[in-house]
Amino acid sequence: MYPSKILLFGEYTILLGSSALAIPYNKLSGELAISKPEPNKKYNKEHRSNQVLFELFRYLQTEEVKKMLPYSIDFKTFEQDLVKGLYFRSDIPEESGLGSSGAVVAAIFERYIKVRLSEKELPVIKECLGLIESFFHETSSGVDPLVSYVKTPVLIKNHKVYMISDSPLDDHLHTSGMFLVHSKKNGNTGEMIKNFKIRIKSDSGYLRKVREQYIPVNDECIISLLNDYNALHFFPAVKKLISLQVEIFEKMIPSAIFSLVNYGLENDLYFLKLCGSGGGGHFIGFTKNIETTNNYFADMGYSIIVY
């Protein structure tokens, strides 16, 4: 099974070389399976998934993409499986910020590209996974499918990739009262990333603000969470990050969620941030008081999922 992922920190800025921290979310996952095509089930979920994988297969076979792939793909077996009814069986919601396409890509990569996993090979694997996932999002850092593939937390720092093992990260996240809440609206990762790239190319002031103000706080949050965790340091850093998100990534926060984000900032009850590209889907929260936070969201018509 290939888990979904949660990008804790590094949304958008990873494209500019910032640090990023992502973890597998094992409560939701998926795997490749075979389903015999049936005429009366032409438009069911399995059929749609099979058709998407056929499109991915054709995309990977284009000369432009094949030249960029650092590893060879077993296209013969891939095609044979597609004809048999290959599809991705998953309970990961799409357009939710939890890496549904990343899990698909990880499964395809492991089945049809034979590579020995090693720390040394990670950057190339990440590059290959990102290239495959670009079929879904036009631009991909490769982090989402990498987390699903290695099934362990991943840190990107100074353009290097590290698998995090034997770390108390899970304990730190529980101590921080991490939770997820769905915005009641689907996101569109490809469109969000496209708009961000246009903005940073056309607006030098915006790019400067992201680089000089946002990225240092993003990196501070990661350092605080991973190294000698202390809630007295972590929560102020997260609050500062979200205050900047409200300003810099305002268009990525749905209007219905915006008031919830601001309430948390104003009352210090919780801190709600982007989970991936935003625009909809899930948002990540951190709180010192999970019970009161849960009650507040319930009163507002939202249910939260405690990590």
Side-chain angles (χ1 to χ4, degrees), residues 45-302:
K45 189 175 181 180
E46 290 83 359
H47 176 80
R48 289 195 301 272
S49 175
N50 177 259
Q51 293 306 299
V52 170
L53 292 181
F54 257 116
E55 292 172 18
L56 174 61
F57 171 80
R58 288 189 283 268
Y59 167 79
L60 295 174
Q61 278 202 313
T62 61
E63 286 304 315
E64 181 182 1
V65 175
K66 282 171 72 175
K67 286 179 182 177
M68 292 189 288
L69 285 169
Y71 305 115
S72 59
I73 298 177
D74 184 355
F75 283 113
K76 182 178 179 180
T77 305
F78 192 179
E79 185 173 27
Q80 289 173 344
D81 289 346
L82 285 168
V83 172
K84 292 176 184 175
L86 183 75
Y87 75 101
F88 191 66
R89 181 169 57 206
S90 168
D91 58 6
I92 307 171
E94 297 179 3
E95 300 178 334
S96 68
L98 296 178
S100 58
S101 63
V104 175
V105 170
I108 293 294
F109 181 89
E110 186 157 34
R111 179 171 293 194
Y112 303 109
I113 299 177
K114 303 302 179 185
V115 179
R116 177 172 291 182
L117 178 61
S118 68
E119 197 83 40
K120 183 179 179 181
E121 201 69 20
L122 276 183
V124 184
I125 292 174
K126 174 177 168 291
E127 175 193 345
C128 186
L129 290 166
L131 181 58
I132 298 172
E133 195 181 32
S134 65
F135 164 77
F136 295 97
H137 300 316
E138 293 186 18
T139 301
S140 167
S141 66
V143 170
D144 286 13
L146 181 63
V147 171
S148 292
Y149 174 63
V150 300
K151 301 179 178 67
T152 191
V154 168
L155 170 67
I156 310 296
K157 184 178 181 181
N158 297 326
H159 302 283
K160 294 182 180 179
V161 189
Y162 304 92
M163 289 190 295
I164 302 174
S165 55
D166 301 321
S167 165
L169 178 58
D170 244 25
D171 293 337
H172 295 169
L173 292 174
H174 285 296
T175 302
S176 299
M178 180 181 157
F179 64 91
L180 295 173
V181 59
H182 197 276
S183 63
K184 299 183 180 180
K185 176 184 177 183
N186 288 337
N188 186 323
T189 299
E191 189 65 27
M192 292 288 104
I193 292 176
K194 179 181 177 182
N195 291 339
F196 174 73
K197 292 177 73 175
I198 291 173
R199 181 80 185 272
I200 59 175
K201 285 181 180 179
S202 62
D203 188 337
S204 59
Y206 179 79
L207 176 59
R208 190 180 309 113
K209 196 163 196 173
V210 173
R211 286 192 182 280
E212 297 178 4
Q213 295 184 37
Y214 187 84
I215 287 180
V217 181
N218 173 80
D219 294 355
E220 182 184 349
C221 289
I222 294 174
I223 293 170
S224 175
L225 190 61
L226 289 179
N227 302 337
D228 302 320
Y229 174 80
N230 187 327
L232 293 176
H233 297 152
F234 178 70
F235 279 98
V238 171
K239 181 177 182 178
K240 188 175 181 181
L241 183 82
I242 295 167
S243 297
L244 286 168
Q245 281 194 352
V246 167
E247 185 178 350
I248 296 173
F249 299 122
E250 178 183 1
K251 293 182 179 178
M252 289 74 164
I253 305 174
S255 55
I257 286 289
F258 213 90
S259 60
L260 296 176
V261 173
N262 280 325
Y263 181 87
L265 288 173
E266 292 166 2
N267 296 276
D268 283 347
L269 174 58
Y270 59 82
F271 302 113
L272 199 61
K273 67 178 292 293
L274 294 174
C275 178
S277 62
H282 285 85
F283 279 68
I284 302 172
F286 297 98
T287 179
K288 296 176 185 177
N289 191 329
I290 195 69
E291 185 177 351
T292 303
T293 296
N294 187 34
N295 291 337
Y296 173 75
F297 275 91
D299 289 343
M300 299 302 293
Y302 291 85

Side-chain angles (χ1 to χ4, degrees), residues 21-32:
L21 178 63
I23 60 173
Y25 185 56
N26 294 304
K27 290 182 180 179
L28 299 169
S29 61
E31 63 181 347
L32 292 172

